[in-house]
Amino acid sequence: MKFFKRIQALALAVIMTAMTMGTVPVFAVEISEPEDTIVVNCDESGIVPYASTTLVNQTFNMSYEHTGATRRYNYNSIWFDYVFTAQDGSKLTDGTILAIRLYDATTGQKVNEWQDSSGHAYVRAFNIDRTHSYYFQYCVAYGTPNLKIHMKIETYVP
């Protein structure tokens, strides 16, 4: 039995050696910079914004739960960025978790939910139906019940 295991191990070692021989580079080639270099400025998420339109930019205080206004966005996707702190503006250190839910007011269905405990989140290119109306609901899932929320909703169009 040991004899067969040794032969099997030897065969496996030979196969692995043969397979790596074809993929090992013999030398490295240095790629020079092209003569015409295009510099593109990206936003902090690394996305190249085409044309940014701010749809909502507001700050409000909440206790436990808050439901935002019902709005129709005439775009196929929205991007949003939210920051939450204690109501005095100080950073939360107790692990507070904020749940943000997006509801389709036209159908009455919850579309998605995001939870965060870092105090800042950025959701990129969330697809929506431009013919529907939506609203956000904010809920403290854990921790400090009295929060200050800064919500910025945008869209990017090419």
Side-chain angles (χ1 to χ4, degrees), residues 73-137:
Y73 306 102
N74 289 321
Y75 301 95
N76 293 324
S77 66
I78 56 173
W79 305 43
F80 58 94
D81 181 11
Y82 61 92
V83 175
F84 62 98
T85 62
Q87 283 187 352
D88 65 2
S90 63
K91 185 174 180 174
L92 297 166
T93 58
D94 63 352
T96 296
I97 299 171
L98 179 67
I100 295 185
R101 300 174 183 139
L102 178 63
Y103 285 90
D104 185 330
T106 306
T107 64
Q109 300 292 315
K110 181 169 79 169
V111 177
N112 205 346
E113 179 174 329
W114 298 268
Q115 293 187 8
D116 185 77
S117 63
S118 71
H120 181 245
Y122 186 66
V123 176
R124 298 185 286 176
F126 188 79
N127 292 330
I128 58 171
D129 184 336
R130 69 185 323 154
T131 64
H132 290 204
S133 295
Y134 295 90
Y135 65 90
F136 285 92
Q137 183 183 58

Side-chain angles (χ1 to χ4, degrees), residues 1 6-7 14 20 32-33 37 39 45-47 58 62 65 71 77 81 96 98 109 117 133 137 145 149 156-158:
M1 188 73 147
R6 287 182 183 163
I7 289 178
V14 170
T20 59
S32 62
E33 287 290 321
T37 304
V39 177
S45 69
I47 299 298
Q58 67 183 39
M62 64 168 268
E65 186 175 302
R71 294 183 171 95
S77 66
D81 181 11
T96 296
L98 179 67
Q109 300 292 315
S117 63
S133 295
Q137 183 183 58
I149 311 288
Y156 290 94
V157 290

Side-chain angles (χ1 to χ4, degrees), residues 56-73:
V56 175
N57 188 2
Q58 67 183 39
T59 302
F60 58 91
N61 289 332
M62 64 168 268
S63 293
Y64 295 100
E65 186 175 302
H66 173 78
T67 300
T70 301
R71 294 183 171 95
R72 175 173 279 163
Y73 306 102

Side-chain angles (χ1 to χ4, degrees), residues 23-30:
T23 60
V24 175
V26 177
F27 60 90
V29 176
E30 184 176 328

